[in-house]
Amino acid sequence: DLKTSDPQVDGMAASVMVAPYNSGVRLGKLTIKACENVDPCSVAYLFGIKGIPLDVAIRQGFDDTIADHKNISVVAEGEGKYLGPDGGIAATQTILQLNKPFQVMVGADQSIQGAAIALKDAGKAPGEIKLIGFGGSAPALAGVADGSWFGDLFGAPGDEGRLAMQAMVDAL
């Protein structure tokens, strides 16, 4: 069940994760903020890998969160992969060719990193399209810091995850 981070096996168990559905909820909340006072607010959504359970759960949390906000609609989708900016560049170029204007783009950091490159190449000023990523990468931190990204969703960095897992092992 990708809506919970609670252990899902019998017996003693520990879990260190953010449920993917909850990540989608948080992405939806950032999108609602990005779309404040924008009506209509059109969104381009980049899946990592469309159809895998992780991305299905993230998208479901996103959709459930924006559902009551009638000013927000997803007008285009793409698939950016999780292997660096190239997938995001290609997906964004395809979305731009659809000629459906959008104000916000949401996706994994790798995809959004590529989207920023493709948008710049298309003549869009940094920040003209509000970029929302998830992953907590160095490019995301830099983009949020310089204002070219609207926001980014962070999971527990590796060190924190290892420390949390060690604490649970010690407790068990």
Side-chain angles (χ1 to χ4, degrees):
D1 178 3
L2 297 177
K3 287 187 175 184
T4 180
S5 56
D6 293 337
Q8 299 178 35
V9 296
D10 292 333
M12 194 174 290
S15 175
V16 178
M17 66 173 282
V18 174
Y21 178 89
N22 294 341
S23 292
V25 168
R26 293 170 66 201
L27 286 172
K29 288 178 180 180
L30 278 173
T31 301
I32 291 166
K33 286 184 182 188
C35 288
E36 283 179 354
N37 303 314
V38 180
D39 191 4
C41 186
S42 299
V43 177
Y45 187 96
L46 296 178
F47 289 91
I49 301 172
K50 191 173 183 175
I52 66 168
L54 170 74
D55 276 290
V56 169
I58 292 169
R59 180 61 187 267
Q60 187 63 58
F62 176 84
D63 287 344
D64 289 351
T65 303
I66 67 166
D68 291 336
H69 297 268
K70 301 304 178 200
N71 64 312
I72 302 172
S73 62
V74 176
V75 297
E77 295 179 344
E79 185 176 36
K81 308 291 186 203
Y82 292 109
L83 302 173
D86 292 345
I89 291 170
T92 303
Q93 289 169 338
T94 299
I95 289 170
L96 289 170
Q97 289 174 2
L98 296 174
N99 202 25
K100 292 182 179 181
F102 57 95
Q103 294 79 37
V104 178
M105 182 170 263
V106 177
D109 282 2
Q110 300 91 331
S111 298
I112 296 300
Q113 182 185 5
I117 294 166
L119 292 169
K120 181 179 177 186
D121 289 349
K124 304 289 184 188
E128 183 178 343
I129 304 293
K130 294 177 182 174
L131 302 175
I132 299 173
F134 64 95
S137 67
L141 290 173
V144 171
D146 71 18
S148 60
W149 290 34
F150 179 81
D152 195 69
L153 177 64
F154 295 83
D159 289 343
E160 288 180 38
R162 280 189 296 280
L163 291 171
M165 184 54 78
Q166 186 59 51
M168 285 191 283
V169 169
D170 292 347
L172 293 173

